[in-house]
Amino acid sequence: METKIFKPDQIDQAAAEIKKGNLVSFPTETVYGLGADATNVQAVEKVYQAKGRPSDNPLIVHVADISTVEKYAQPLNEKTKQLIKQFWPGPLTIILKLKPHVLSSKVTGGLKTAAFRNPDKEATLNLIRKAGVPLVGPSANTSGKPSPTLAKHVYHDLNGKIAGILDAGATDFGVESTVLDLSTNHPTILRPGAVTSQAIEKVIGPVVDEQKHVGKTEVPKAPGMKYTHYSPTASVQIVDNENQWKSVTEWAANQSGKVGILATDAILNDYNWPQNVETYSLGNDVKSASHALFAGLRNFDLHSDITDILVEGFTTEGIGEAYMNRLNKSAGQKHFE
């Protein structure tokens, strides 16, 4: 299969592929998603095949308007309406109870709930409208690898496996959406993202933070709760504080292979790095670091000779919570000592 690159003025062609039951990657404000008709079981099955993703992992349903959510979900309560008004379109995914038999178990993972999102990217909203159906949209990468923030990242992983990629440039945030479970008695954050818990609580009051991995026999309600995520081929370690970087340079100099360093400019400019070190800038702060994290991991993943990657850690405040959530999963909780 030839994977075509569609520009925003070619959305009709991209939508035609969706209508045929084929897969088209689309950009959002967070990462690139892998789009298929959420109402077409065969198309949804192709998503799992292309990604190499276990089929018990539910998929987020991307919509262009609230009326589509109301078509599939149980009546929306007041808190849900307030959140939609405040954060949609935007990087907030909400899990809602479904009406009976409206979406395939291939989409829901066999649950009676589904995750909905209204992305803040006009090209993708136009694609959904043109296709005339909601789109499932997990990150458009090989399962377990860092999420794609550029069309070329998608092409690297999925060339020949999908019909096309809607290329609208780099994403804005770089980490996936916040996932908020509204199907329970207490609103619960299952995955932190660009919409922080503090921002949500300003709208609806207290929320529960429940970031965890489920067991082998459990069905996760949201992506990233069960399987390894965001991992490049090389081993990843987190550098927790500035005082450790001198030790990092000494450690790197003693490694037989190449070492990748992902850090802010202040760190990169403060040290004389050994010749076997390749560096990648995370910018100036945690916000820019969140945007650059996946791109940096992917950059080093393309270098087969890089055996270790060391990444700057941040405090878990604000967007730092989402950044450290992804980084800890990428590193398998390994910290430089």
Side-chain angles (χ1 to χ4, degrees):
M1 178 187 295
E2 178 190 358
T3 298
K4 300 176 182 176
I5 304 296
F6 300 112
K7 294 298 182 181
D9 61 356
Q10 297 175 304
I11 286 176
D12 284 347
Q13 296 175 44
E17 294 293 342
I18 294 290
K19 291 177 180 178
K20 292 176 188 175
N22 293 327
L23 309 185
V24 175
S25 174
F26 57 78
T28 73
E29 73 280 29
T30 57
V31 300
Y32 271 74
L34 182 54
D37 179 352
T39 67
N40 182 331
V41 176
Q42 289 75 28
V44 173
E45 287 176 339
K46 291 180 183 178
V47 170
Y48 292 109
Q49 293 165 8
K51 283 179 62 69
R53 177 186 177 122
S55 59
D56 66 345
N57 218 354
L59 302 172
I60 293 174
V61 179
H62 291 68
V63 301
D65 49 52
I66 299 171
S67 61
T68 304
V69 177
E70 293 173 331
K71 178 180 178 181
Y72 296 101
Q74 298 280 359
L76 307 183
N77 62 31
E78 194 57 37
K79 284 187 177 181
T80 302
K81 292 177 181 178
Q82 289 172 352
L83 288 167
I84 287 174
K85 182 179 180 180
Q86 180 68 28
F87 296 113
W88 277 17
L92 177 66
T93 295
I94 55 176
I95 295 176
L96 300 169
K97 291 180 181 178
L98 291 172
K99 296 174 181 175
H101 313 299
V102 291
L103 286 173
S104 165
S105 62
K106 295 291 183 181
V107 175
T108 66
L111 300 173
K112 295 181 180 180
T113 58
F116 293 93
R117 171 149 136 71
N118 179 218
D120 191 12
K121 185 67 77 171
E122 193 59 32
T124 292
L125 293 175
N126 286 337
L127 175 64
I128 297 170
R129 295 182 189 111
K130 292 282 186 180
V133 290
L135 302 181
V136 295
S139 55
N141 55 288
T142 301
S143 187
K145 289 297 182 182
S147 299
T149 55
L150 291 168
K152 69 178 182 180
H153 298 159
V154 182
Y155 194 83
H156 175 267
D157 279 17
L158 301 179
N159 179 30
K161 297 180 181 180
I162 65 177
I165 303 167
L166 177 57
D167 184 359
T171 61
D172 301 316
F173 290 105
V175 294
E176 301 92 339
S177 60
T178 304
V179 177
L180 180 66
D181 188 358
L182 295 175
S183 69
T184 60
N185 291 333
H186 303 287
T188 303
I189 293 177
L190 301 183
R191 182 180 75 184
V195 177
T196 65
S197 56
Q198 296 93 329
I200 292 170
E201 288 180 333
K202 285 182 179 179
V203 178
I204 63 169
V207 298
V208 178
D209 196 333
E210 191 177 282
Q211 302 165 41
K212 66 173 185 176
H213 280 278
V214 301
K216 290 183 179 180
T217 59
E218 294 179 81
V219 178
K221 269 192 171 183
M225 295 180 67
K226 190 170 186 179
Y227 303 101
T228 302
H229 269 61
Y230 321 122
S231 298
T233 303
S235 174
V236 178
Q237 297 181 66
I238 302 168
V239 182
D240 291 303
N241 61 69
E242 292 184 14
N243 297 329
Q244 291 180 297
W245 285 105
K246 188 176 187 300
S247 297
V248 169
T249 62
E250 295 167 355
W251 175 87
N254 290 319
Q255 302 307 302
S256 57
K258 281 195 172 181
V259 175
I261 301 293
L262 263 171
T264 52
D265 292 336
I267 298 297
L268 297 183
N269 295 333
D270 272 356
Y271 295 91
N272 293 318
W273 299 102
Q275 289 187 344
N276 65 325
V277 165
E278 297 282 342
T279 63
Y280 191 97
S281 173
L282 290 177
N284 297 316
D285 54 27
V286 67
K287 183 177 180 181
S288 61
S290 298
H291 184 268
L293 176 62
F294 289 149
L297 291 172
R298 280 189 163 270
N299 174 72
F300 290 140
D301 215 17
L302 296 176
H303 294 262
S304 59
D305 54 349
I306 287 182
T307 58
D308 294 273
I309 303 171
L310 287 93
V311 188
E312 183 175 354
F314 290 89
T315 62
T316 56
E317 297 176 0
I319 190 64
E321 182 181 19
Y323 174 88
M324 291 305 298
N325 171 271
R326 307 314 192 273
L327 180 52
N328 271 301
K329 289 179 180 179
S330 176
Q333 307 289 334
K334 293 194 297 286
H335 296 255
F336 181 82
E337 296 179 354

